[in-house]
Amino acid sequence: MTGGVAGKTVWITGASGGLGEALAHAFGAAGARLVLSARRGDELARVARAVSDAGGTARALPMDLADAGSIAAAAADVARVEQRIDVLVHNAGQTQRALIADAGVDVYRRLFEVNFFGPLALTKAALPALAGGGRIVVVSSIAAYYSSPYRSGYNASKKALHGLFDALRAEAHRDGISVLLVVLGSVRTKVSVNALRGDGSAYGRMDPAMAAGMDPAEVAARIVQATVAGREEITVAPLRQRWLMWRKAWFPRLASRAVRLRPRG
Ligand SMILES: NC(=O)c1ccc[n+]([C@@H]2O[C@H](COP(=O)([O-])OP(=O)(O)OC[C@H]3O[C@@H](n4cnc5c(N)ncnc54)[C@H](OP(=O)(O)O)[C@@H]3O)[C@@H](O)[C@H]2O)c1
């Protein structure tokens, strides 16, 4: 992306907290004009104000990724007000903390709405405004390469995103649209607190891995860098989590033994 993101329109989903809030600050500090989306309008307004206080430009645009009408309305609003989208950051996401045996199918539908169908619908709506140089940034996870127990729906939805956006990268090249997949290890956010239990309620607990995770501001800075550099895929994870991906790729039987739950009884 020649000339960086200064003056460019960057639309970030999941910007009401966690990594999305850090991305808002990082893209804002780089001079981008931000559109910030998530469900909680009050939190979005707080983030937009903080970006403005730091000298940036941001507006809050509430949107629910599990609601097709809300996505269409937000995309129409951006097309009318901003006209062009230079960078669309699919950051919003939700995870799971339940065994497959205990999780209702509705939990999987919900995870796929937020993590897959929402980003798909938003991308389709945004394609015309992205044509001619636009960039799509997809926040994924090492879970796309390495499936561990209790988060099966999340693992599956992140893997599905790779299938979708690798194909879009090939298809949309002729329209000048590029795609960056960001494969993340643990980041210090409330992602586990907001995870779904088997009955669809919130897990409500901070996992030790998240508490000890990477600093969201540092991760956000790496994502801005990779966006500007035109990268197609990056992995931002500590060595021990990269090793889990390599182990799965090169020693799959070892990997599958390592993640097994202990026999009952
Ligand atoms: N934290 C990690 O360790 C980690 C690791 C790998 C990948 N990731 C990925 O990083 C991304 C950001 O997650 P995070 O760690 O910052 O988690 P988080 O703190 O739970 O933030 C999730 C964000 O997604 C938004 N969101 C949730 N449901 C939504 C919906 N239906 N419609 C619109 N927005 C919705 C939330 O806002 P509202 O509640 O206001 O809607 C919030 O802003 C996710 O894609 C996640 O999978 C995180």
Side-chain angles (χ1 to χ4, degrees):
M1 185 164 250
T2 40
V5 292
K8 304 268 169 72
T9 297
V10 177
W11 188 3
I12 304 170
T13 70
S16 59
L19 179 60
E21 179 171 355
L23 283 166
H25 285 292
F27 276 108
R33 287 181 295 115
L34 305 180
V35 181
L36 306 178
S37 291
R39 290 166 303 176
R40 290 170 299 157
D42 50 346
E43 290 300 311
L44 286 177
R46 175 185 64 75
V47 177
R49 258 195 321 275
V51 169
S52 303
D53 289 349
T57 311
R59 76 171 175 113
L61 179 63
M63 175 183 67
D64 183 351
L65 280 167
D67 175 347
S70 169
I71 294 170
D77 184 298
V78 169
R80 185 174 51 79
V81 177
E82 271 81 19
Q83 285 158 27
R84 219 208 105 68
I85 303 167
D86 297 295
V87 183
L88 172 59
V89 186
H90 289 299
N91 165 73
Q94 193 165 24
T95 187
Q96 168 187 2
R97 290 293 182 271
L99 294 172
I100 296 166
D102 299 337
V105 173
D106 280 354
V107 166
Y108 291 85
R109 291 195 204 285
R110 172 81 197 172
L111 290 169
F112 266 78
E113 283 301 337
V114 177
N115 295 349
F116 180 81
F117 289 110
L120 167 61
L122 181 55
T123 299
K124 283 172 66 66
L127 283 177
L130 282 159
R135 204 140 159 62
I136 300 175
V137 178
V138 183
V139 177
S140 181
S141 163
I142 58 168
Y145 290 107
Y146 167 76
S147 266
S148 50
Y150 295 102
R151 350 156 129 62
S152 52
Y154 178 73
N155 301 337
S157 64
K158 289 297 187 187
K159 213 178 238 302
L161 278 180
H162 285 242
L164 176 70
F165 282 100
D166 278 337
L168 184 75
R169 183 187 293 118
E171 292 179 13
H173 174 73
R174 61 184 179 181
D175 299 319
I177 298 173
S178 60
V179 173
L180 164 65
L181 277 159
V182 179
V183 179
L184 293 183
S186 302
V187 188
R188 207 165 52 242
T189 71
K190 290 188 172 164
V191 74
S192 68
V193 177
N194 299 326
L196 297 181
R197 292 177 191 267
D199 62 2
S201 62
Y203 182 63
R205 285 195 231 158
M206 187 66 149
D207 279 356
M210 303 306 149
M214 298 177 289
D215 176 2
E218 283 173 20
V219 174
R222 295 279 301 276
I223 294 174
V224 173
Q225 239 172 39
T227 301
V228 172
R231 301 283 300 274
E232 294 197 342
E233 181 166 327
I234 56 163
T235 301
V236 185
L239 199 60
R240 66 178 189 286
Q241 291 183 334
R242 285 166 184 261
W243 155 242
L244 300 177
M245 291 167 63
W246 295 328
R247 185 175 63 181
K248 173 67 181 165
W250 296 101
F251 310 105
R253 280 179 66 79
L254 186 68
S256 95
R257 273 203 291 275
V259 295
R260 278 179 194 161
L261 299 185
R262 293 216 177 93
R264 292 176 201 271

